Amino acid sequence: MTPTRYEQEGTVFDIQRYSVHDGPGIRTIVFLKGCPLSCRWCSNPESQRPQPILMYQKSACTQCNRCIEVCKQGAISFANPTFIDRSRCISCGACAEVCLPNALVMKGRRMTVWQVVQELQKDATTYRRSNGGITLSGGEPLVQSDFARELLKACKEKGWHTAMETTGHASKEVVEDVMPFVDQALVDLKSIDPAVHKENTGVDNRQILENAIRISTITKAVVRVPLVPGVNANRPAVEAIGRFAKLMHNVDTVHLLPYHTYGENKYDLLGRPYPMGNTPTLPKTTVDELKGVVEGLGLRCIIGG
Ligand code: SF4
Ligand code: SF4
């Protein structure tokens, strides 16, 4: 039986309150699991898999063995190179429940639309006073399109401004189904060059570019560009994205998001190597120069989001 809209379930891995990024005013950000891309610089690698995922912080572990005793899959051992044998782990969460110092934490839990709205309601006054609202992020929120649509509808019924950060990687049908309930789309564009895009995100950019145009015909859109050294933090790449933004409907603003290493620690907690290695952050002079490229095209440019 199809769930009624408030009973619709999705997998959420975080809810962050009091954000001043990712849309106007003060916002609560709901992070949904699952992403079809695997960008090398991703700062939320725990979001990529649709299912909940286990994170292990070695420095917090007291070696009490409780997790090893409860894991029916035999997935945990101090003899394993990264403690958890992820080929055996079924994400049941039993180990995290018995880990008293929270060295093991499950990222991602099933929530209904109703449960998320109850969380969002806590800051309803703040949304009203700051002209803020709620933002869906991820991962890619369109991976869980039924949940995203019902959640957005519920928020709009409350009178809250809705925003969504999206890669644009989804079918035309999904975009047309969900975007009418988004007041502002934050459309991430990484590269116009198909080969560069594929090499650094794992997917082709054709559908993404088509959807970027499509989204801008449905709702107000802002283009966001993660500026990544060795990928797109150069004049030709940024100019190409800026020119594409001008082809979109009613887009007058581009956000440049300079590369940072905030997510590096998470790769360690997931037992994965950091794909960006020792890539240095961008000098301010480079960021300013690229801002000038965007502005030179007649677009407003904001550093950060
Ligand atoms: S239950 Fe937690 S503290 Fe104990 S061994 Fe496992 S990870 Fe370490
Ligand atoms: S989540 Fe479940 S299967 Fe995975 S390591 Fe923990 S107890 Fe074992």
Side-chain angles (χ1 to χ4, degrees):
M1 195 166 65
T2 308
T4 61
R5 52 198 303 191
Y6 277 97
E7 290 169 349
Q8 183 80 47
E9 278 195 349
T11 307
V12 175
F13 74 92
D14 206 358
I15 296 179
Q16 284 179 9
R17 301 164 69 188
Y18 305 114
S19 171
V20 291
H21 303 289
D22 306 317
I26 299 174
R27 315 189 67 80
T28 300
I29 319 293
V30 183
F31 293 86
L32 305 189
K33 284 278 281 169
C35 187
L37 279 65
S38 46
C39 303
R40 292 199 300 116
W41 54 88
C42 178
S43 58
N44 288 331
E46 76 277 31
S47 74
Q48 291 171 347
R49 212 178 70 157
Q51 303 83 11
I53 194 165
L54 194 57
M55 295 177 99
Y56 171 60
Q57 188 176 1
K58 189 176 179 184
S59 61
C61 175
T62 57
Q63 305 199 353
C64 69
N65 283 351
R66 288 161 64 100
C67 55
I68 296 170
E69 287 158 16
V70 299
C71 179
K72 294 195 171 80
Q73 307 302 314
I76 310 180
S77 168
F78 286 103
N80 290 336
T82 54
F83 191 50
I84 303 154
D85 180 347
R86 291 179 186 273
S87 66
R88 292 186 174 197
C89 174
I90 57 166
S91 297
C92 70
C95 54
E97 278 177 27
V98 298
C99 180
L100 299 180
N102 291 328
L104 287 167
V105 174
M106 285 300 291
K107 291 303 274 186
R109 63 179 171 127
R110 299 292 285 170
M111 294 181 79
T112 62
V113 166
W114 174 255
Q115 287 170 322
V116 177
V117 168
Q118 294 308 298
E119 278 298 304
L120 300 173
Q121 183 75 47
K122 292 175 183 170
D123 296 312
T125 308
T126 308
Y127 309 149
R128 185 167 43 78
R129 287 191 180 150
S130 69
N131 290 323
I134 72 102
T135 301
L136 299 192
S137 184
E140 167 51 65
L142 294 174
V143 167
Q144 301 187 58
S145 62
D146 289 341
F147 180 64
R149 182 193 61 243
E150 296 309 323
L151 179 55
L152 290 161
K153 270 192 206 171
C155 291
K156 291 202 66 70
E157 281 173 7
K158 293 273 186 186
W160 301 335
H161 181 275
T162 60
M164 180 190 285
E165 183 171 21
T166 178
T167 64
H169 193 285
S171 70
K172 169 179 179 285
E173 290 73 23
V174 161
V175 167
E176 291 176 346
D177 185 40
V178 177
M179 281 299 155
F181 304 101
V182 175
D183 294 317
Q184 186 182 82
L186 306 160
V187 181
D188 290 348
L189 295 181
K190 282 85 172 177
S191 178
I192 303 300
D193 184 314
V196 171
H197 197 279
K198 175 94 177 165
E199 184 186 342
N200 290 283
T201 70
V203 302
D204 189 78
N205 65 355
R206 194 169 139 186
Q207 184 184 44
I208 287 170
L209 298 178
E210 286 173 4
N211 277 334
I213 302 278
R214 184 169 288 119
I215 289 167
S216 71
T217 64
I218 300 173
T219 189
K220 182 173 166 46
V222 168
V223 167
R224 302 188 120 189
V225 185
L227 281 184
V228 186
V231 177
N232 64 358
N234 58 69
R235 292 184 73 97
V238 169
E239 185 172 342
I241 294 173
R243 289 196 184 284
F244 182 85
K246 289 184 71 90
L247 297 176
M248 294 168 67
H249 299 259
N250 302 316
V251 169
D252 61 4
T253 303
V254 172
H255 294 173
L256 296 181
L257 313 175
Y259 168 71
H260 59 72
T261 57
Y262 304 154
E264 185 173 357
N265 180 48
K266 294 181 180 176
Y267 287 84
D268 197 36
L269 303 182
L270 291 168
R272 288 169 52 185
Y274 183 52
M276 294 298 286
N278 294 320
T279 304
T281 55
L282 291 165
K284 184 174 181 307
T285 48
T286 304
V287 175
D288 288 344
E289 181 191 342
L290 297 175
K291 181 172 188 270
V293 170
V294 174
E295 289 171 340
L297 295 168
L299 293 158
R300 201 161 71 104
C301 183
I302 296 172
I303 306 298

